[in-house]
Amino acid sequence: MQYQIGILGGGPGGYVCALRAAQLGLSVVLVEGERIGGTCLNKGCIPTKALVKSAELWREIQHAGNFGIQVGNASFDFSKVMARKDQVVDTLVGGVEHLIKAAKITYVKGWGQVREAGKIEVETESGPESYEVENLVVATGSVPARLPIPGVDLPGVLSSDEILEMTELPERLVIIGGGVIGLEFASIYQEFGVKVTVVEMLPSLLANIDEEIPKRMTPLLKKSGMEIMTKTALKEIRQDGSQLMVVVEDAKGQKEILADKVLVATGRKANLRGIDSESLGLQTERRAIVVNQKMQTSLPNVYAIGDVTGGIMLAHVASMQGIVAAENIAGQPAEADYDAVPSAIFTYPEIATVGQTEQALKASGRKYKASKFPFSANGKAIALGETVGIVKILADEQGTVLGASIMGPQASSMIEELVLAVKKGLNAEDLVYTIHAHPTLPEAVMEAAHGILGKPLHLA
């Protein structure tokens, strides 16, 4: 049987593309070598957020006395924390499998290979199979990047995938990389009492967001007991008895850090497994597939979406790209728009951003306004006992919102109002004159918008 769309990869890009294509009446075959949901559902977004919730609950229990609640001799069982994580993942994987079945999508479990554009060859448990497709969508995602450093292959040196399989807490954890992945794991394990050291080669943590946020965040992490080492390069990891010795180097010379486990969280790279790009004549750049805004590759009727394109490696971007690809294949012109892509970082406190950063606006020479409002002046934040952080809005001289950053409670949910503002080119005045329920955290967004127009109301 020939399918109108064949999708290689069932992550948040691939399975969303399949669902949208099925909605549009197209016949779809979806091939996935592991579990449906890809890295996000199985080894990334979802399992880490399950762990974040357990860590958050443990933190709240430890501070329950501040709220007049006595909990006695509380404790946690880390193996059960990890078991709950697995249960959450299984529930969501099952949900996606149900959606795929209900949409009458042909789902093939096996490793796919593409040697010619109109055919997907699959190695399944029962043997080889092949599927003829009119349009091919490559959604093979990404894999953890490995550093060319001596010792990174030693037992106990883990990728972001492998650390999710641990059922016992290490006493000391060294994390190589102070980006989103590294800091999320650092926050989780620090909360459970692990001695965490973060090693970052760049001058600051979270280098790609508004620079004010990591400047505010770094002292908070240090205060919690985490050791932060910036401008520090990893030189070597070696075995030291039953432990690991991490050798790093900064401006003052080399240092050695003893660890039980080492997490290498230095980013991810496009996964071209199963794609013979050279034989196909498929254009790639830096080992990623080149696409246009319609998600079309250099080959007719071949599309690529998600991390394999080497762009913004976020699950929600992959899902949007999957919808764009499906709609173009169905004859409904669509283009990917990256002007208002939110990013959420589940540290403590949470961080969320969208649009322009202040350093980018300065570098461009564009005139702008910046306004900040602290959660310490927000009634709901005070009631929650979560007063650390700010809402920061950047706007042009006319007040049009260009970007925003939030560090504080529920930042990942609060950012959506500002994503819409950036997406639709709203003015700060639009936010000010939108009535916000009281008492709520989003009132901090309204107050920051007041600051673009003049001055926040509830700030002396």
Side-chain angles (χ1 to χ4, degrees), residues 280-284 289-292 296-303:
L280 287 166
L282 185 64
Q283 184 184 354
T284 62
I289 299 175
V290 176
V291 294
N292 61 18
Q296 296 165 323
T297 70
S298 59
L299 299 177
N301 303 318
V302 177
Y303 297 73

Side-chain angles (χ1 to χ4, degrees), residues 165-197:
E165 302 306 315
M166 286 200 310
T167 55
E168 294 183 4
L169 287 171
E171 185 179 337
R172 287 160 296 200
L173 173 66
V174 173
I175 297 177
I176 309 300
V180 174
I181 296 172
L183 285 194
E184 286 192 358
F185 278 112
S187 295
I188 291 166
Y189 282 93
Q190 176 76 19
E191 209 63 62
F192 286 121
V194 176
K195 172 57 182 173
V196 176
T197 301

Side-chain angles (χ1 to χ4, degrees), residues 371 391 393 427-429 431-432 444-454:
S371 173
V391 174
I393 296 177
N427 194 280
E429 189 175 60
L431 300 177
V432 164
V445 173
M446 178 185 68
E447 290 283 2
H450 269 291
I452 292 293
L453 303 180

Side-chain angles (χ1 to χ4, degrees), residues 125-385:
E125 288 184 355
S126 56
E129 300 176 6
S130 67
Y131 298 85
E132 302 288 332
V133 298
E134 294 176 22
N135 298 275
L136 172 68
V137 178
V138 179
T140 47
S142 62
V143 292
R146 285 299 243 187
L147 293 173
I149 300 292
V152 293
D153 295 324
L154 287 171
V157 180
L158 310 173
S159 69
S160 55
D161 292 351
E162 294 162 340
I163 197 171
L164 287 168
E165 302 306 315
M166 286 200 310
T167 55
E168 294 183 4
L169 287 171
E171 185 179 337
R172 287 160 296 200
L173 173 66
V174 173
I175 297 177
I176 309 300
V180 174
I181 296 172
L183 285 194
E184 286 192 358
F185 278 112
S187 295
I188 291 166
Y189 282 93
Q190 176 76 19
E191 209 63 62
F192 286 121
V194 176
K195 172 57 182 173
V196 176
T197 301
V198 177
V199 178
E200 171 56 54
M201 186 171 62
L202 296 174
S204 75
L205 304 176
L206 301 169
N208 295 323
I209 68 173
D210 192 294
E211 60 188 6
E212 181 169 352
I213 301 302
K215 283 180 182 177
R216 288 174 176 267
M217 188 70 171
T218 302
L220 296 175
L221 297 176
K222 290 180 178 179
K223 186 178 180 181
S224 74
M226 198 180 297
E227 186 175 0
I228 306 294
M229 304 174 70
T230 54
K231 296 183 182 179
T232 304
L234 173 66
K235 305 303 291 184
E236 177 189 4
I237 304 171
R238 64 173 184 264
Q239 201 76 45
D240 190 316
S242 62
Q243 297 167 315
L244 296 164
M245 186 64 75
V246 183
V247 182
V248 300
E249 186 175 37
D250 61 13
K252 296 179 182 178
Q254 288 197 354
K255 300 177 182 178
E256 295 183 339
I257 312 166
L258 197 62
D260 300 293
K261 300 289 183 182
V262 177
L263 169 62
V264 179
T266 49
R268 300 180 68 87
K269 62 180 181 179
N271 176 27
L272 290 176
R273 175 175 178 170
I275 305 299
D276 191 340
S277 56
E278 190 172 332
S279 297
L280 287 166
L282 185 64
Q283 184 184 354
T284 62
E285 188 174 295
R286 296 180 182 177
R287 292 284 299 163
I289 299 175
V290 176
V291 294
N292 61 18
Q293 287 183 298
K294 296 180 182 293
M295 310 319 300
Q296 296 165 323
T297 70
S298 59
L299 299 177
N301 303 318
V302 177
Y303 297 73
I305 59 175
D307 290 3
V308 76
T309 65
I312 304 171
M313 292 190 176
L314 293 170
H316 42 281
V317 172
S319 295
M320 180 268 293
Q321 291 174 335
I323 293 169
V324 168
E327 292 182 351
N328 278 300
I329 291 169
Q332 297 184 9
E335 291 190 350
D337 179 1
Y338 306 105
D339 289 339
V341 176
S343 176
I345 307 169
F346 293 85
T347 49
Y348 178 72
E350 285 186 3
I351 296 169
T353 67
V354 66
Q356 294 282 350
T357 63
E358 188 162 7
Q359 62 265 32
L361 290 172
K362 285 178 180 177
S364 69
R366 186 174 184 179
K367 293 183 178 180
Y368 67 94
K369 299 177 181 179
S371 173
K372 291 170 276 191
F373 188 81
F375 282 104
S376 58
N378 175 268
K380 182 62 180 290
I382 293 170
L384 291 174

Side-chain angles (χ1 to χ4, degrees), residues 74-90:
S75 63
F76 65 86
D77 183 332
F78 190 68
S79 64
K80 290 183 178 179
V81 168
M82 297 301 274
R84 177 184 179 273
K85 175 262 298 181
D86 293 338
Q87 183 182 36
V88 170
V89 171
D90 290 345

